[in-house]
Amino acid sequence: MTAMALSPLAGKPAPRNILIDPARLEREYYARQPDLADPAQQVSFGTSGHRGSPLRGSFNEAHILAISQAICDYRRAQGFDGPLYMGRDTHAVSGPAERSALEVLTANAVEVVIQQDGGFTPTPAISRAILVHNRGRTARLADGIVVTPSHNPPEDGGFKYNPPGQRTAACG
């Protein structure tokens, strides 16, 4: 096993040129509409979810509203009527994306369980909540959403869906 290289920035304040502007990211998340002719601005699922940046038009409210509605339609078609566990991380647009998704989910009468007092939720906690809820059940199965770009840059947002029975997608 090889050791990871230590960053020369470890233990030091971040240089100005790599800092993000969270307020700008949130403004772009709400204001920017994707250019449907640009493939880079379309919803694109990679490892268990959609990721992108409001600054590139690849992660914005239009994306999250559409994905959330698609999840509601999928749940209805599959007969999933249990709770949907939802968590988010500390990335700048995770809060706005969570709020957008909650609007769609509640409009579709989905029972959503979120962290108390707007807290953050580690991705594996959502996977565990789904597994614990579904253990031994054949009805009212739970699924989940994690709003996180995982290890991607701070200017990115991410949105992962975990259907019932999917054990690994939310663990990374």
Side-chain angles (χ1 to χ4, degrees):
M1 186 163 143
T2 59
M4 288 183 50
L6 184 63
S7 169
L9 299 176
K12 299 177 185 171
R16 283 197 165 291
N17 66 326
I18 67 167
L19 296 178
I20 62 163
D21 180 351
R24 178 176 175 224
L25 285 167
E26 187 167 341
R27 280 193 310 273
E28 289 291 321
Y29 170 81
Y30 286 112
R32 194 163 189 174
Q33 293 298 309
D35 176 357
L36 301 179
D38 181 356
Q41 293 187 33
Q42 297 173 4
V43 171
S44 175
F45 280 86
T47 307
S48 82
H50 171 68
R51 292 179 187 83
S53 173
L55 302 178
R56 295 186 304 274
S58 54
F59 189 91
N60 54 47
E61 187 174 45
H63 291 128
I64 300 309
L65 295 174
I67 295 167
S68 298
Q69 185 59 54
I71 290 170
C72 291
D73 295 345
Y74 176 76
R75 293 180 96 243
R76 197 168 10 264
Q78 298 300 311
F80 301 154
D81 59 355
L84 183 141
Y85 291 92
M86 180 180 236
R88 69 178 170 100
D89 70 3
T90 60
H91 279 78
V93 291
S94 291
E98 179 187 54
R99 288 189 296 276
S100 297
L102 283 170
E103 289 177 11
V104 174
L105 295 165
T106 56
N108 281 272
V110 174
E111 175 189 351
V112 182
V113 179
I114 60 173
Q115 178 67 36
Q116 184 176 353
D117 299 325
F120 305 110
T121 312
T123 298
I126 298 300
S127 293
R128 184 176 190 289
I130 294 166
L131 292 172
V132 167
H133 177 88
N134 290 343
R135 188 174 295 138
R137 289 180 182 263
T138 57
R140 285 207 29 83
L141 296 174
D143 54 354
I145 293 173
V146 183
V147 186
T148 178
S150 297
H151 58 277
N152 289 313
E155 66 271 8
D156 282 5
F159 201 78
K160 301 177 182 183
Y161 174 64
N162 294 53
Q166 187 171 357
R167 295 176 181 258
T168 58
C171 292

mmCIF file of all heavy atoms in Angstrom, residues 110-156:
data_model
loop_
_atom_site.group_PDB
_atom_site.id
_atom_site.type_symbol
_atom_site.label_atom_id
_atom_site.label_comp_id
_atom_site.label_asym_id
_atom_site.label_seq_id
_atom_site.Cartn_x
_atom_site.Cartn_y
_atom_site.Cartn_z
ATOM 1 N N VAL A 110 -44.563 12.728 -0.871
ATOM 2 C CA VAL A 110 -43.553 11.765 -0.437
ATOM 3 C C VAL A 110 -43.207 12.072 1.026
ATOM 4 O O VAL A 110 -42.947 13.220 1.379
ATOM 5 C CB VAL A 110 -42.283 11.848 -1.312
ATOM 6 C CG1 VAL A 110 -41.175 10.956 -0.772
ATOM 7 C CG2 VAL A 110 -42.612 11.488 -2.757
ATOM 8 N N GLU A 111 -43.216 11.035 1.860
ATOM 9 C CA GLU A 111 -42.808 11.178 3.257
ATOM 10 C C GLU A 111 -41.282 11.262 3.277
ATOM 11 O O GLU A 111 -40.597 10.315 2.889
ATOM 12 C CB GLU A 111 -43.279 9.963 4.060
ATOM 13 C CG GLU A 111 -42.811 9.942 5.485
ATOM 14 C CD GLU A 111 -43.115 8.624 6.178
ATOM 15 O OE1 GLU A 111 -43.834 7.774 5.622
ATOM 16 O OE2 GLU A 111 -42.594 8.436 7.291
ATOM 17 N N VAL A 112 -40.748 12.400 3.709
ATOM 18 C CA VAL A 112 -39.307 12.628 3.694
ATOM 19 C C VAL A 112 -38.789 12.737 5.132
ATOM 20 O O VAL A 112 -39.381 13.423 5.956
ATOM 21 C CB VAL A 112 -38.940 13.915 2.917
ATOM 22 C CG1 VAL A 112 -37.431 14.115 2.875
ATOM 23 C CG2 VAL A 112 -39.507 13.883 1.506
ATOM 24 N N VAL A 113 -37.686 12.059 5.397
ATOM 25 C CA VAL A 113 -37.029 12.125 6.700
ATOM 26 C C VAL A 113 -35.690 12.823 6.485
ATOM 27 O O VAL A 113 -34.862 12.358 5.683
ATOM 28 C CB VAL A 113 -36.806 10.712 7.294
ATOM 29 C CG1 VAL A 113 -36.091 10.803 8.639
ATOM 30 C CG2 VAL A 113 -38.125 9.968 7.417
ATOM 31 N N ILE A 114 -35.484 13.955 7.186
ATOM 32 C CA ILE A 114 -34.238 14.710 7.069
ATOM 33 C C ILE A 114 -33.621 14.907 8.452
ATOM 34 O O ILE A 114 -34.276 14.713 9.476
ATOM 35 C CB ILE A 114 -34.441 16.077 6.377
ATOM 36 C CG1 ILE A 114 -35.423 16.954 7.159
ATOM 37 C CG2 ILE A 114 -34.884 15.906 4.935
ATOM 38 C CD1 ILE A 114 -35.540 18.376 6.633
ATOM 39 N N GLN A 115 -32.386 15.336 8.455
ATOM 40 C CA GLN A 115 -31.659 15.604 9.697
ATOM 41 C C GLN A 115 -32.336 16.741 10.458
ATOM 42 O O GLN A 115 -32.688 17.762 9.871
ATOM 43 C CB GLN A 115 -30.208 15.975 9.373
ATOM 44 C CG GLN A 115 -29.349 16.332 10.567
ATOM 45 C CD GLN A 115 -29.101 15.155 11.482
ATOM 46 O OE1 GLN A 115 -28.956 14.035 11.022
ATOM 47 N NE2 GLN A 115 -29.051 15.393 12.769
ATOM 48 N N GLN A 116 -32.485 16.573 11.744
ATOM 49 C CA GLN A 116 -33.105 17.578 12.598
ATOM 50 C C GLN A 116 -32.308 18.881 12.568
ATOM 51 O O GLN A 116 -31.079 18.873 12.485
ATOM 52 C CB GLN A 116 -33.172 17.046 14.023
ATOM 53 C CG GLN A 116 -33.866 17.949 14.998
ATOM 54 C CD GLN A 116 -33.976 17.307 16.375
ATOM 55 O OE1 GLN A 116 -33.645 16.143 16.557
ATOM 56 N NE2 GLN A 116 -34.442 18.058 17.314
ATOM 57 N N ASP A 117 -33.010 19.996 12.628
ATOM 58 C CA ASP A 117 -32.421 21.336 12.716
ATOM 59 C C ASP A 117 -31.493 21.684 11.547
ATOM 60 O O ASP A 117 -30.535 22.437 11.712
ATOM 61 C CB ASP A 117 -31.666 21.514 14.041
ATOM 62 C CG ASP A 117 -32.579 21.372 15.247
ATOM 63 O OD1 ASP A 117 -33.756 21.794 15.153
ATOM 64 O OD2 ASP A 117 -32.135 20.828 16.268
ATOM 65 N N GLY A 118 -31.758 21.128 10.368
ATOM 66 C CA GLY A 118 -30.968 21.471 9.184
ATOM 67 C C GLY A 118 -29.542 20.977 9.224
ATOM 68 O O GLY A 118 -28.677 21.509 8.536
ATOM 69 N N GLY A 119 -29.300 19.950 10.004
ATOM 70 C CA GLY A 119 -27.941 19.432 10.135
ATOM 71 C C GLY A 119 -27.467 18.690 8.901
ATOM 72 O O GLY A 119 -28.223 18.423 7.971
ATOM 73 N N PHE A 120 -26.195 18.363 8.919
ATOM 74 C CA PHE A 120 -25.571 17.643 7.816
ATOM 75 C C PHE A 120 -25.605 16.149 8.115
ATOM 76 O O PHE A 120 -25.636 15.741 9.268
ATOM 77 C CB PHE A 120 -24.135 18.128 7.617
ATOM 78 C CG PHE A 120 -24.063 19.617 7.412
ATOM 79 C CD1 PHE A 120 -23.529 20.435 8.387
ATOM 80 C CD2 PHE A 120 -24.572 20.193 6.271
ATOM 81 C CE1 PHE A 120 -23.485 21.815 8.211
ATOM 82 C CE2 PHE A 120 -24.546 21.565 6.085
ATOM 83 C CZ PHE A 120 -23.997 22.377 7.059
ATOM 84 N N THR A 121 -25.599 15.352 7.059
ATOM 85 C CA THR A 121 -25.732 13.907 7.213
ATOM 86 C C THR A 121 -24.665 13.198 6.396
ATOM 87 O O THR A 121 -24.609 13.366 5.178
ATOM 88 C CB THR A 121 -27.120 13.444 6.715
ATOM 89 O OG1 THR A 121 -28.115 14.290 7.266
ATOM 90 C CG2 THR A 121 -27.383 12.013 7.108
ATOM 91 N N PRO A 122 -23.824 12.398 7.016
ATOM 92 C CA PRO A 122 -22.842 11.630 6.250
ATOM 93 C C PRO A 122 -23.553 10.659 5.309
ATOM 94 O O PRO A 122 -24.561 10.047 5.668
ATOM 95 C CB PRO A 122 -22.048 10.870 7.308
ATOM 96 C CG PRO A 122 -22.410 11.485 8.610
ATOM 97 C CD PRO A 122 -23.733 12.150 8.440
ATOM 98 N N THR A 123 -23.034 10.513 4.123
ATOM 99 C CA THR A 123 -23.632 9.636 3.119
ATOM 100 C C THR A 123 -23.919 8.231 3.644
ATOM 101 O O THR A 123 -25.021 7.720 3.449
ATOM 102 C CB THR A 123 -22.729 9.590 1.863
ATOM 103 O OG1 THR A 123 -22.657 10.910 1.326
ATOM 104 C CG2 THR A 123 -23.267 8.643 0.810
ATOM 105 N N PRO A 124 -22.984 7.590 4.346
ATOM 106 C CA PRO A 124 -23.282 6.244 4.830
ATOM 107 C C PRO A 124 -24.459 6.182 5.814
ATOM 108 O O PRO A 124 -25.110 5.144 5.937
ATOM 109 C CB PRO A 124 -21.974 5.800 5.508
ATOM 110 C CG PRO A 124 -20.924 6.628 4.852
ATOM 111 C CD PRO A 124 -21.579 7.948 4.577
ATOM 112 N N ALA A 125 -24.756 7.284 6.492
ATOM 113 C CA ALA A 125 -25.889 7.290 7.423
ATOM 114 C C ALA A 125 -27.214 7.110 6.677
ATOM 115 O O ALA A 125 -28.138 6.459 7.186
ATOM 116 C CB ALA A 125 -25.912 8.582 8.235
ATOM 117 N N ILE A 126 -27.306 7.651 5.476
ATOM 118 C CA ILE A 126 -28.529 7.487 4.677
ATOM 119 C C ILE A 126 -28.635 6.032 4.215
ATOM 120 O O ILE A 126 -29.706 5.425 4.304
ATOM 121 C CB ILE A 126 -28.549 8.461 3.482
ATOM 122 C CG1 ILE A 126 -28.550 9.913 3.982
ATOM 123 C CG2 ILE A 126 -29.734 8.182 2.566
ATOM 124 C CD1 ILE A 126 -29.734 10.286 4.865
ATOM 125 N N SER A 127 -27.529 5.464 3.750
ATOM 126 C CA SER A 127 -27.542 4.054 3.340
ATOM 127 C C SER A 127 -27.980 3.166 4.498
ATOM 128 O O SER A 127 -28.811 2.273 4.332
ATOM 129 C CB SER A 127 -26.156 3.612 2.877
ATOM 130 O OG SER A 127 -25.802 4.272 1.702
ATOM 131 N N ARG A 128 -27.438 3.422 5.669
ATOM 132 C CA ARG A 128 -27.787 2.615 6.830
ATOM 133 C C ARG A 128 -29.254 2.777 7.195
ATOM 134 O O ARG A 128 -29.946 1.793 7.498
ATOM 135 C CB ARG A 128 -26.912 2.982 8.028
ATOM 136 C CG ARG A 128 -27.193 2.087 9.227
ATOM 137 C CD ARG A 128 -26.252 2.371 10.393
ATOM 138 N NE ARG A 128 -26.373 1.374 11.428
ATOM 139 C CZ ARG A 128 -27.409 1.238 12.250
ATOM 140 N NH1 ARG A 128 -28.450 2.034 12.141
ATOM 141 N NH2 ARG A 128 -27.418 0.296 13.175
ATOM 142 N N ALA A 129 -29.763 4.005 7.165
ATOM 143 C CA ALA A 129 -31.175 4.236 7.492
ATOM 144 C C ALA A 129 -32.088 3.460 6.547
ATOM 145 O O ALA A 129 -33.081 2.859 6.981
ATOM 146 C CB ALA A 129 -31.494 5.726 7.435
ATOM 147 N N ILE A 130 -31.741 3.441 5.266
ATOM 148 C CA ILE A 130 -32.531 2.703 4.280
ATOM 149 C C ILE A 130 -32.486 1.203 4.591
ATOM 150 O O ILE A 130 -33.519 0.530 4.626
ATOM 151 C CB ILE A 130 -32.017 2.973 2.844
ATOM 152 C CG1 ILE A 130 -32.248 4.439 2.466
ATOM 153 C CG2 ILE A 130 -32.704 2.048 1.839
ATOM 154 C CD1 ILE A 130 -31.483 4.871 1.223
ATOM 155 N N LEU A 131 -31.279 0.689 4.814
ATOM 156 C CA LEU A 131 -31.128 -0.740 5.088
ATOM 157 C C LEU A 131 -31.847 -1.160 6.363
ATOM 158 O O LEU A 131 -32.526 -2.191 6.400
ATOM 159 C CB LEU A 131 -29.642 -1.106 5.175
ATOM 160 C CG LEU A 131 -28.857 -1.012 3.877
ATOM 161 C CD1 LEU A 131 -27.370 -1.204 4.138
ATOM 162 C CD2 LEU A 131 -29.363 -2.018 2.859
ATOM 163 N N VAL A 132 -31.721 -0.365 7.413
ATOM 164 C CA VAL A 132 -32.377 -0.695 8.685
ATOM 165 C C VAL A 132 -33.895 -0.666 8.508
ATOM 166 O O VAL A 132 -34.598 -1.576 8.954
ATOM 167 C CB VAL A 132 -31.924 0.264 9.805
ATOM 168 C CG1 VAL A 132 -32.807 0.141 11.040
ATOM 169 C CG2 VAL A 132 -30.462 0.004 10.161
ATOM 170 N N HIS A 133 -34.405 0.367 7.841
ATOM 171 C CA HIS A 133 -35.856 0.457 7.633
ATOM 172 C C HIS A 133 -36.369 -0.736 6.818
ATOM 173 O O HIS A 133 -37.423 -1.284 7.128
ATOM 174 C CB HIS A 133 -36.235 1.755 6.921
ATOM 175 C CG HIS A 133 -37.691 1.853 6.632
ATOM 176 N ND1 HIS A 133 -38.594 2.380 7.525
ATOM 177 C CD2 HIS A 133 -38.421 1.436 5.577
ATOM 178 C CE1 HIS A 133 -39.816 2.288 7.028
ATOM 179 N NE2 HIS A 133 -39.734 1.734 5.828
ATOM 180 N N ASN A 134 -35.637 -1.116 5.790
ATOM 181 C CA ASN A 134 -36.116 -2.149 4.862
ATOM 182 C C ASN A 134 -35.868 -3.584 5.337
ATOM 183 O O ASN A 134 -36.446 -4.514 4.765
ATOM 184 C CB ASN A 134 -35.478 -1.962 3.478
ATOM 185 C CG ASN A 134 -36.011 -0.730 2.780
ATOM 186 O OD1 ASN A 134 -37.046 -0.183 3.149
ATOM 187 N ND2 ASN A 134 -35.296 -0.274 1.769
ATOM 188 N N ARG A 135 -35.071 -3.753 6.371
ATOM 189 C CA ARG A 135 -34.733 -5.100 6.854
ATOM 190 C C ARG A 135 -36.005 -5.886 7.174
ATOM 191 O O ARG A 135 -36.816 -5.486 7.998
ATOM 192 C CB ARG A 135 -33.854 -5.015 8.090
ATOM 193 C CG ARG A 135 -33.317 -6.377 8.523
ATOM 194 C CD ARG A 135 -32.330 -6.268 9.672
ATOM 195 N NE ARG A 135 -31.135 -5.546 9.208
ATOM 196 C CZ ARG A 135 -30.512 -4.617 9.934
ATOM 197 N NH1 ARG A 135 -30.966 -4.278 11.119
ATOM 198 N NH2 ARG A 135 -29.436 -4.025 9.457
ATOM 199 N N GLY A 136 -36.196 -7.007 6.484
ATOM 200 C CA GLY A 136 -37.341 -7.884 6.722
ATOM 201 C C GLY A 136 -38.654 -7.397 6.138
ATOM 202 O O GLY A 136 -39.683 -8.033 6.314
ATOM 203 N N ARG A 137 -38.657 -6.303 5.423
ATOM 204 C CA ARG A 137 -39.895 -5.752 4.855
ATOM 205 C C ARG A 137 -40.065 -6.151 3.394
ATOM 206 O O ARG A 137 -39.091 -6.306 2.670
ATOM 207 C CB ARG A 137 -39.878 -4.222 4.888
ATOM 208 C CG ARG A 137 -40.001 -3.602 6.230
ATOM 209 C CD ARG A 137 -39.961 -2.071 6.050
ATOM 210 N NE ARG A 137 -40.021 -1.407 7.314
ATOM 211 C CZ ARG A 137 -41.142 -0.921 7.846
ATOM 212 N NH1 ARG A 137 -42.275 -1.020 7.201
ATOM 213 N NH2 ARG A 137 -41.116 -0.329 9.017
ATOM 214 N N THR A 138 -41.322 -6.219 2.994
ATOM 215 C CA THR A 138 -41.652 -6.382 1.580
ATOM 216 C C THR A 138 -42.578 -5.263 1.118
ATOM 217 O O THR A 138 -42.873 -5.153 -0.063
ATOM 218 C CB THR A 138 -42.337 -7.743 1.328
ATOM 219 O OG1 THR A 138 -43.502 -7.829 2.140
ATOM 220 C CG2 THR A 138 -41.382 -8.890 1.635
ATOM 221 N N ALA A 139 -43.014 -4.434 2.050
ATOM 222 C CA ALA A 139 -43.899 -3.310 1.730
ATOM 223 C C ALA A 139 -43.381 -2.058 2.439
ATOM 224 O O ALA A 139 -42.594 -2.143 3.376
ATOM 225 C CB ALA A 139 -45.329 -3.618 2.178
ATOM 226 N N ARG A 140 -43.836 -0.915 1.972
ATOM 227 C CA ARG A 140 -43.417 0.395 2.494
ATOM 228 C C ARG A 140 -41.890 0.509 2.570
ATOM 229 O O ARG A 140 -41.314 0.945 3.570
ATOM 230 C CB ARG A 140 -44.046 0.695 3.851
ATOM 231 C CG ARG A 140 -45.499 1.068 3.744
ATOM 232 C CD ARG A 140 -46.093 1.959 4.816
ATOM 233 N NE ARG A 140 -45.290 2.926 5.534
ATOM 234 C CZ ARG A 140 -44.976 4.155 5.100
ATOM 235 N NH1 ARG A 140 -45.380 4.572 3.913
ATOM 236 N NH2 ARG A 140 -44.276 4.966 5.855
ATOM 237 N N LEU A 141 -41.257 0.114 1.459
ATOM 238 C CA LEU A 141 -39.805 0.157 1.387
ATOM 239 C C LEU A 141 -39.299 1.597 1.315
ATOM 240 O O LEU A 141 -39.897 2.446 0.652
ATOM 241 C CB LEU A 141 -39.304 -0.630 0.183
ATOM 242 C CG LEU A 141 -39.588 -2.128 0.218
ATOM 243 C CD1 LEU A 141 -39.186 -2.774 -1.090
ATOM 244 C CD2 LEU A 141 -38.878 -2.773 1.401
ATOM 245 N N ALA A 142 -38.189 1.843 1.983
ATOM 246 C CA ALA A 142 -37.561 3.162 1.985
ATOM 247 C C ALA A 142 -36.533 3.266 0.866
ATOM 248 O O ALA A 142 -35.979 2.273 0.403
ATOM 249 C CB ALA A 142 -36.885 3.410 3.322
ATOM 250 N N ASP A 143 -36.284 4.495 0.450
ATOM 251 C CA ASP A 143 -35.213 4.819 -0.477
ATOM 252 C C ASP A 143 -34.578 6.105 0.020
ATOM 253 O O ASP A 143 -34.901 6.570 1.110
ATOM 254 C CB ASP A 143 -35.731 4.913 -1.916
ATOM 255 C CG ASP A 143 -36.908 5.864 -2.093
ATOM 256 O OD1 ASP A 143 -37.429 6.397 -1.099
ATOM 257 O OD2 ASP A 143 -37.329 6.071 -3.249
ATOM 258 N N GLY A 144 -33.667 6.688 -0.763
ATOM 259 C CA GLY A 144 -33.010 7.883 -0.251
ATOM 260 C C GLY A 144 -32.346 8.740 -1.297
ATOM 261 O O GLY A 144 -32.101 8.309 -2.423
ATOM 262 N N ILE A 145 -32.089 9.957 -0.880
ATOM 263 C CA ILE A 145 -31.349 10.932 -1.684
ATOM 264 C C ILE A 145 -30.252 11.502 -0.802
ATOM 265 O O ILE A 145 -30.490 11.833 0.361
ATOM 266 C CB ILE A 145 -32.259 12.079 -2.175
ATOM 267 C CG1 ILE A 145 -33.294 11.563 -3.174
ATOM 268 C CG2 ILE A 145 -31.425 13.214 -2.782
ATOM 269 C CD1 ILE A 145 -34.338 12.604 -3.565
ATOM 270 N N VAL A 146 -29.052 11.622 -1.376
ATOM 271 C CA VAL A 146 -27.967 12.303 -0.693
ATOM 272 C C VAL A 146 -27.529 13.453 -1.593
ATOM 273 O O VAL A 146 -27.201 13.255 -2.758
ATOM 274 C CB VAL A 146 -26.779 11.365 -0.401
ATOM 275 C CG1 VAL A 146 -25.704 12.102 0.384
ATOM 276 C CG2 VAL A 146 -27.242 10.134 0.363
ATOM 277 N N VAL A 147 -27.563 14.653 -1.044
ATOM 278 C CA VAL A 147 -27.166 15.842 -1.791
ATOM 279 C C VAL A 147 -25.699 16.105 -1.460
ATOM 280 O O VAL A 147 -25.369 16.670 -0.419
ATOM 281 C CB VAL A 147 -28.056 17.057 -1.433
ATOM 282 C CG1 VAL A 147 -27.718 18.238 -2.331
ATOM 283 C CG2 VAL A 147 -29.532 16.697 -1.544
ATOM 284 N N THR A 148 -24.832 15.629 -2.350
ATOM 285 C CA THR A 148 -23.386 15.753 -2.169
ATOM 286 C C THR A 148 -22.662 15.467 -3.478
ATOM 287 O O THR A 148 -23.040 14.557 -4.195
ATOM 288 C CB THR A 148 -22.860 14.773 -1.098
ATOM 289 O OG1 THR A 148 -21.432 14.910 -1.016
ATOM 290 C CG2 THR A 148 -23.196 13.333 -1.417
ATOM 291 N N PRO A 149 -21.612 16.218 -3.778
ATOM 292 C CA PRO A 149 -20.749 15.844 -4.892
ATOM 293 C C PRO A 149 -19.598 14.957 -4.424
ATOM 294 O O PRO A 149 -18.631 14.753 -5.141
ATOM 295 C CB PRO A 149 -20.247 17.190 -5.403
ATOM 296 C CG PRO A 149 -20.180 18.031 -4.186
ATOM 297 C CD PRO A 149 -21.326 17.574 -3.303
ATOM 298 N N SER A 150 -19.695 14.465 -3.206
ATOM 299 C CA SER A 150 -18.665 13.623 -2.594
ATOM 300 C C SER A 150 -17.322 14.330 -2.575
ATOM 301 O O SER A 150 -17.214 15.421 -2.041
ATOM 302 C CB SER A 150 -18.576 12.270 -3.294
ATOM 303 O OG SER A 150 -19.788 11.577 -3.140
ATOM 304 N N HIS A 151 -16.338 13.748 -3.191
ATOM 305 C CA HIS A 151 -14.964 14.249 -3.148
ATOM 306 C C HIS A 151 -14.662 15.300 -4.210
ATOM 307 O O HIS A 151 -13.516 15.703 -4.370
ATOM 308 C CB HIS A 151 -14.002 13.063 -3.315
ATOM 309 C CG HIS A 151 -14.258 12.335 -4.597
ATOM 310 N ND1 HIS A 151 -15.249 11.381 -4.702
ATOM 311 C CD2 HIS A 151 -13.709 12.453 -5.814
ATOM 312 C CE1 HIS A 151 -15.270 10.931 -5.940
ATOM 313 N NE2 HIS A 151 -14.338 11.564 -6.631
ATOM 314 N N ASN A 152 -15.664 15.740 -4.948
ATOM 315 C CA ASN A 152 -15.429 16.703 -6.023
ATOM 316 C C ASN A 152 -15.160 18.101 -5.465
ATOM 317 O O ASN A 152 -15.381 18.352 -4.282
ATOM 318 C CB ASN A 152 -16.612 16.689 -6.991
ATOM 319 C CG ASN A 152 -16.636 15.406 -7.798
ATOM 320 O OD1 ASN A 152 -15.626 14.977 -8.324
ATOM 321 N ND2 ASN A 152 -17.791 14.776 -7.872
ATOM 322 N N PRO A 153 -14.722 19.034 -6.307
ATOM 323 C CA PRO A 153 -14.320 20.370 -5.842
ATOM 324 C C PRO A 153 -15.453 21.119 -5.120
ATOM 325 O O PRO A 153 -16.632 20.842 -5.322
ATOM 326 C CB PRO A 153 -13.938 21.097 -7.136
ATOM 327 C CG PRO A 153 -13.647 20.028 -8.115
ATOM 328 C CD PRO A 153 -14.528 18.866 -7.749
ATOM 329 N N PRO A 154 -15.086 22.098 -4.295
ATOM 330 C CA PRO A 154 -16.065 22.829 -3.497
ATOM 331 C C PRO A 154 -17.108 23.593 -4.317
ATOM 332 O O PRO A 154 -18.186 23.868 -3.816
ATOM 333 C CB PRO A 154 -15.233 23.806 -2.670
ATOM 334 C CG PRO A 154 -13.816 23.521 -2.941
ATOM 335 C CD PRO A 154 -13.722 22.501 -4.025
ATOM 336 N N GLU A 155 -16.804 23.914 -5.560
ATOM 337 C CA GLU A 155 -17.788 24.644 -6.380
ATOM 338 C C GLU A 155 -18.815 23.705 -7.015
ATOM 339 O O GLU A 155 -19.745 24.153 -7.683
ATOM 340 C CB GLU A 155 -17.097 25.477 -7.465
ATOM 341 C CG GLU A 155 -16.384 24.693 -8.532
ATOM 342 C CD GLU A 155 -14.929 24.361 -8.197
ATOM 343 O OE1 GLU A 155 -14.482 24.603 -7.064
ATOM 344 O OE2 GLU A 155 -14.244 23.844 -9.101
ATOM 345 N N ASP A 156 -18.682 22.418 -6.791
ATOM 346 C CA ASP A 156 -19.603 21.442 -7.372
ATOM 347 C C ASP A 156 -20.766 21.128 -6.437
ATOM 348 O O ASP A 156 -20.671 21.286 -5.225
ATOM 349 C CB ASP A 156 -18.883 20.136 -7.683
ATOM 350 C CG ASP A 156 -18.066 20.207 -8.963
ATOM 351 O OD1 ASP A 156 -17.986 21.289 -9.567
ATOM 352 O OD2 ASP A 156 -17.503 19.175 -9.355
#
